[in-house]
Every structure is written in structure tokens, then in C-alpha cells.
Amino acid sequence: MPHDKDQTHWHEPAGSKKAGFGKFAKKPTPYDAFMEEEGIPVFRDIGISKVQNLPLVPWKRKGGKGHFIQLYGTEGKWGCYVIEVPPAGALNPEKHMYEEIFLVVEGRGTTEVWQEGDTRKHVFEWQKGSMFSIPMNAWYRVVNGTSGGALLLAGTTAPNVINLLNDFGAVFNNPYIFKNRFSGADDFFKPNDSIETDPVRGLAMRRTNLVPDAMNCDLPLDNRRSPGYRRVEPFMTNNCFYFWIGQHENGRYSKAHAHSSAAVLICLNGKGYTYTWPEEIGETPWKDGRAERVRRIDYEPVGMVTAAPGAANWYHQHFSSGSDPLRLTAWFGPNSRSRMPGVPGEIVTDAGAIDITEGGNAIPYWMEDPYIRNEYEAKLKEAGVANRMDPAWYLPPERK
């Protein structure tokens, strides 16, 4: 019988042929559909020199102007957008069943946070460089305190939740109150500068729901990415959304190291650039004639670059190219090292902080592609910035 053209029928493959199309177009996820329904553009690439360059479009649900950002490698792992708060105005109140952090790109203002049924709202102030987190499923309203522009960059776990639930009502109209995420204490949004040890990796951590100035706050010495490197992990509102703030000294750059996708680096201060390339093409892609597979983004505040834009592991390397130190914040969404797949209790190596020669995957300076050093020295000279890379770092251990 003839087939109805409006229906798709299953046909078993004939003989030894395989079932299926073999190649097919990826279907949009529920989160992709959500972004389309919101009616604002979606920026997709490996990075952008500064988010301030993105065109802003009226966002009816939010009450401001915005633009989604979905850098390669973050699809389905976490979401991002930039939004402008109306001058001397406010965004619409909302709540949602996903985590959200904000970085203030421009402007100053306040944010009101409350739970359903509360008679009092928590109000805190923010300015350029502030970072804060909205507790899960709490009501909030972002208010512009000036007659000028206020621009905020947001990171969310919306793709994870929307893709799993596939029900917008359950995401935006859920009555559950997370008391373990928002205690209601008077000092809930009071900044905390105390440093403690991250219980998983032993790194510097700061428990605070508000960082007044991430662009200039003190950072403890770390030394894991480059000599003199500083870093801290803010831990906010009991989130799974993982991020850190780090800084490379001027005239220096990080060792290349490899991991899978999710991490996005956001420039807070200084100027720089990032190279990223698939681990499969080796440690010296220029020397080996594979430079065409290396990607590069140059950035300034507030530029973004995805560390690993494709599947599997990618090497990435960050360069401070200006006269000021290069300060970055890295956003991973709920994809931190502590949440890697594996058996509870098994020992996990912090491979990116350990050289290849010692069992990790960081490329020591003396093993890296010669192109890296030569180009960096030329760029600093052109910019009139002193090169602070010690020549001894480029010597194999037996020659030091």
C-alpha cells in the first residue's frame, strides 16, 4: 500500500545493510527551543573580544535588553547571557529552578531577593566588577541605580534543568522553597574576605554570596598556572555552579594544559589572548605543521573564550599581553573537578597543574612549541611591555 506522506514509517534494512541514516542533523534541545522562544539572538563561537560589542535586543520576559551567549563546548553544560537594565529602571521580578551568578560589566545598582511569603526583602548594592549569586528558586529583582547603562553578564544552570524537566512551568512556577540555599539571615549578602581550604582540591576558597569587586579583590598566591599566579574560588549560595578568579602577572603567560569542554575564561582586567587546540594534534602544532587547527581569541575586559570548544581534551594557554596583570574568571557551570565521573573515594590527579614529565598534562615551557615563545616576545616588544619570563624556564631540567 502507498505510504501516507505525513507519517514516517520504519523499514527494516535489507540484507546486511545497517539501519538508520548514518548522518543526521542535530535536533534543538529544550534549552535551544527556550532561547529561540525568548526572542533574542544567540551568539555562538569560540569567544568574543568583549561582550559590550554584542547588539542588545528587547527581552520582553526580563524587561531589559539582552543577548544569549553559547560558546562552543558549553552546549547543554551551562548557559550564559548579557543583559542591560533600563536606565533608572529595573528588570522584571522572577524566580527559577536553576542557579544563576552575575558579573556586573558596567553600572551600579541594587538587587532585591526574597522568598515567597516574605514580608521583608534582602537588598544589596553592586557596582562595576561585582559578582553575586541568586539563591535557587528565590524571587529577585535587579535595579539600575543610575540614569546611565547597567550591563550584567549572567551564568546559569538553566540548560541542565530545562533539558531534564522539559517543562517551563516546573522551571519558572515551582513553589518549593530551598531553605538550604537562602537562610534569610541579615548578613546573607554581606561580603566575606576570609580564605579557607577547598575540601576537595586543597585550593584557596572564599565562602561569600557577594564579591563587591572581582576586578580588584585580593587573590592568594597559587603558582599552579604560571609563576606568581594568584587564584581563589568563591563559593556562593550552596551552588553547584563552579567558578574561580585568577590572575597572571604582566609579562608572563600560563603553561598549556588540557581538559574537556565546559570552562569559559572571562577577562576582568588587563589584555590578553588564548590559544586552544585539540590534544590529539600534540604539544607542538606549529612545529608539526598543524597550526591550521589552532584557534585564537584576543580579548580585553569583558571578553570571553572557551577553553575547549570541541569534544575530547583540548590544550589551552593564556597570555598576558598588556602592561597590567591579566585577571580572568573561569566559569564551568556544574562541571567542576569534584563532580567528575568516577567511583567515590578514588584518587583523581589534578593533571592540569602537573607537568607531562611528572604524570600530568601541563606542557612545561621547555617542551612547548618554539612559536609560542617567539611570538609572545615579539608581541610584548611591540606593546612596550617588559618580558618577565625567566630564560631558565625554557631549559630542560638537566641543563639548569
Side-chain angles (χ1 to χ4, degrees):
M1 295 179 62
H3 294 302
D4 186 339
K5 293 182 179 180
D6 294 330
Q7 296 183 5
T8 301
H9 293 270
W10 162 253
H11 296 277
E12 288 188 354
S16 60
K17 292 183 178 180
K18 297 178 181 178
F21 301 129
K23 293 183 179 181
F24 52 90
K26 181 185 178 301
K27 296 295 183 181
T29 66
Y31 182 71
D32 291 325
F34 165 74
M35 289 192 291
E36 183 174 352
E37 289 180 15
E38 291 291 276
I40 64 171
V42 182
F43 177 82
R44 298 181 188 269
D45 205 329
I46 72 160
I48 184 171
S49 61
K50 53 190 297 186
V51 300
Q52 297 92 316
N53 291 337
L54 288 172
L56 301 177
V57 174
W59 193 345
K60 183 178 179 181
R61 184 180 64 82
K62 300 282 284 186
K65 294 181 178 180
H67 201 124
F68 281 114
I69 302 170
Q70 200 70 62
L71 299 188
Y72 297 151
T74 65
E75 297 90 349
K77 296 189 173 183
W78 63 276
C80 186
Y81 65 86
V82 63
I83 189 163
E84 181 185 64
V85 188
L91 299 180
N92 296 331
E94 68 172 311
K95 67 183 181 79
H96 41 65
M97 287 287 292
Y98 53 81
E99 299 171 354
E100 186 160 32
I101 66 170
F102 284 99
L103 166 66
V104 181
V105 179
E106 297 172 352
R108 60 181 177 85
T110 60
T111 294
E112 305 163 353
V113 183
W114 70 97
Q115 297 283 26
E116 190 74 46
D118 283 354
T119 58
R120 181 176 65 91
K121 296 178 180 179
H122 285 66
V123 181
F124 61 90
E125 297 181 348
W126 44 261
Q127 61 182 354
K128 180 180 179 179
S130 295
M131 295 189 71
F132 59 90
S133 175
I134 302 301
M136 175 82 84
N137 212 34
W139 281 100
Y140 70 99
R141 188 173 79 123
V142 179
V143 182
N144 186 347
T146 73
S147 58
L151 189 67
L152 284 75
L153 180 69
T156 77
T157 58
N160 314 81
V161 176
I162 291 175
N163 287 343
L164 285 172
L165 296 181
N166 197 15
D167 188 310
F168 295 160
V171 175
F172 292 101
N173 298 308
N174 194 311
Y176 189 80
I177 294 176
F178 289 83
K179 295 182 179 180
N180 65 326
R181 298 294 190 105
F182 186 27
S183 67
D186 291 340
D187 63 351
F188 190 83
F189 286 104
K190 180 181 178 180
N192 176 22
D193 293 331
S194 300
I195 300 295
E196 59 182 277
T197 301
D198 163 22
V200 177
R201 302 172 69 192
L203 304 175
M205 185 178 78
R206 183 175 285 147
R207 292 181 186 270
T208 184
N209 302 317
L210 170 65
V211 177
D213 188 359
M215 295 179 176
N216 298 291
C217 65
D218 290 335
L219 301 177
L221 187 64
D222 182 282
N223 282 334
R224 291 161 63 254
R225 291 287 178 254
S226 63
Y229 178 68
R230 294 180 172 274
R231 180 186 185 277
V232 73
E233 298 175 5
F235 181 62
M236 295 182 165
T237 62
N238 203 21
N239 281 345
C240 295
F241 195 106
Y242 176 71
F243 73 100
W244 48 254
I245 303 167
Q247 179 171 291
H248 300 280
E249 294 189 5
N250 61 314
R252 290 181 177 171
Y253 63 89
S254 72
K255 297 177 182 178
H257 64 284
H259 57 63
S260 57
S261 60
V264 167
L265 284 299
I266 303 165
C267 180
L268 298 176
N269 272 335
K271 292 177 63 177
Y273 59 95
T274 289
Y275 278 122
T276 180
W277 67 91
E279 187 181 42
E280 66 185 36
I281 68 173
E283 295 85 17
T284 53
W286 288 270
K287 183 180 177 181
D288 299 336
R290 296 171 176 169
E292 76 281 354
R293 297 189 63 185
V294 180
R295 299 294 305 273
R296 170 175 171 158
I297 284 287
D298 291 70
Y299 43 75
E300 57 186 277
V302 172
M304 305 175 67
V305 61
T306 183
N313 282 1
W314 283 60
Y315 281 116
H316 39 277
Q317 196 163 8
H318 317 300
F319 301 80
S320 176
S321 59
S323 56
D324 296 321
L326 176 63
R327 179 168 292 208
L328 304 166
T329 178
W331 294 6
F332 292 72
N335 306 284
S336 68
R337 299 282 294 177
S338 63
R339 296 179 179 275
M340 291 176 60
V343 178
E346 72 174 288
I347 302 302
V348 178
T349 301
D350 195 358
I354 301 173
D355 287 352
I356 291 174
T357 53
E358 299 173 358
N361 62 32
I363 304 173
Y365 296 119
W366 61 271
M367 283 184 63
E368 73 181 11
D369 198 303
Y371 178 88
I372 294 288
R373 179 184 181 183
N374 294 334
E375 184 199 44
Y376 186 66
E377 290 177 347
K379 188 167 186 65
L380 291 185
K381 185 176 181 180
E382 179 184 354
V385 177
N387 185 351
R388 302 180 60 240
M389 296 294 290
D390 188 336
W393 298 338
Y394 297 96
L395 298 177
E398 64 271 15
R399 294 179 57 189
K400 292 183 179 180

